[in-house]
Amino acid sequence: MNTQTSPSPQFYLTAPAPCPYLAGEMERKVFTHLVGQRATEMNDLLTQGGFRRSQNIAYRPACESCRACVSVRILVNEFKPSRAFRRVEASNLDVIATIFPAQPSTEQFSLFRTYLDDRHPQGGMSDMSALDYAIMIEDSHVQTRVIEYRLRSPGDGLSAHPKGELIAVALTDLMSDGLSMVYSFFNPTMDKRSLGTMMVLDHISRARTLGLPHVYLGYWVQGSHKMGYKTRFQPQEHLLNQGWTRFNPEAEE
């Protein structure tokens, strides 16, 4: 398949495959390659248009009979943490977050495998090797970073490389209008910390500090338990036929 850069991106359509979110449905995706000098610009435009990035591929659902996958982005400047979110923040005051270039490590991969084996043992990523993980992190032509979350240990805060236990990791794209959470994982035994929620809250704070108006969370599928958490971060917008539209959670109840 030709992956050379061209003035306009080349789009391709995948063959039908079983949907990982809705039983009995088949999914197809339209995708293009994010390579060359315009990769960052194209990633911005495509993400704003409902695409997601995986390595050097941008894709979005193109299912013939289903429109359940909806792109979600948080409105950073209007977000105010609820009491429940403040409790999550309070439970993780001993966590230190550090941003690095997109480089994998053995420690990250070990946590990644623990997370997959516990939360997604039958998922499409369940058989990923250390090499597969390295490619997922490194194979990017856009502005990508890894954020490591560690339990604070003596001396952390003074060193550029904290030494405390690694409990969560986020792979994040830096965009012109926000942060896009490409993939994240965490220690599944630390349920009381709500580490997934903690990482989203941290991204909201980072985006606000950077003066960026959005945090992109990927796709939400109504009725999918694994995606239900995404609508808790209000206010937010969903990408519908008429464009980005403010989501009313009460209308979904």
Side-chain angles (χ1 to χ4, degrees), residues 155-204:
D156 285 349
L158 301 177
S159 170
H161 295 274
K163 301 300 183 183
E165 179 186 354
L166 181 68
I167 61 172
V169 175
L171 180 64
T172 302
D173 285 351
L174 297 144
M175 298 171 48
S176 61
D177 74 328
L179 300 177
S180 178
M181 298 186 69
V182 176
Y183 195 78
S184 60
F185 53 94
F186 51 85
N187 187 327
T189 68
M190 297 182 172
D191 288 336
K192 293 184 179 180
R193 287 182 175 270
S194 299
L195 294 174
T197 297
M198 178 206 69
M199 285 190 281
V200 177
L201 294 173
D202 179 63
H203 278 70
I204 294 172

Side-chain angles (χ1 to χ4, degrees), residues 19-22 27 29 50 52 59-61 66-74 85 115 119-120 125 181-184 186 196-197 200 217-234 236 238 247 252:
C19 176
Y21 304 115
L22 299 177
E27 72 165 357
K29 295 175 182 176
R52 292 289 287 166
Y59 69 91
R60 67 171 298 173
C66 180
R67 296 294 183 270
C69 291
V70 178
S71 293
V72 174
R73 67 184 186 187
I74 302 168
F85 286 152
Y115 171 79
R119 296 299 177 93
H120 305 287
M125 304 172 73
M181 298 186 69
V182 176
Y183 195 78
S184 60
F186 51 85
T197 297
V200 177
L217 295 182
Y219 298 120
W220 170 71
V221 177
Q222 186 176 6
S224 173
H225 175 71
K226 66 177 66 176
M227 292 190 176
Y229 74 93
K230 295 185 180 183
T231 56
R232 295 172 55 213
F233 299 90
Q234 298 293 330
Q236 62 181 230
H238 290 186
F247 175 68
E252 301 297 322

Side-chain angles (χ1 to χ4, degrees), residues 66-87:
C66 180
R67 296 294 183 270
C69 291
V70 178
S71 293
V72 174
R73 67 184 186 187
I74 302 168
L75 298 174
V76 168
N77 295 330
E78 298 180 52
F79 177 82
K80 295 181 180 179
S82 64
R83 182 178 300 178
F85 286 152
R86 291 196 296 271
R87 285 198 297 268

Side-chain angles (χ1 to χ4, degrees), residues 116-127:
L116 288 182
D117 293 343
D118 183 88
R119 296 299 177 93
H120 305 287
Q122 306 299 324
M125 304 172 73
S126 60
D127 60 350

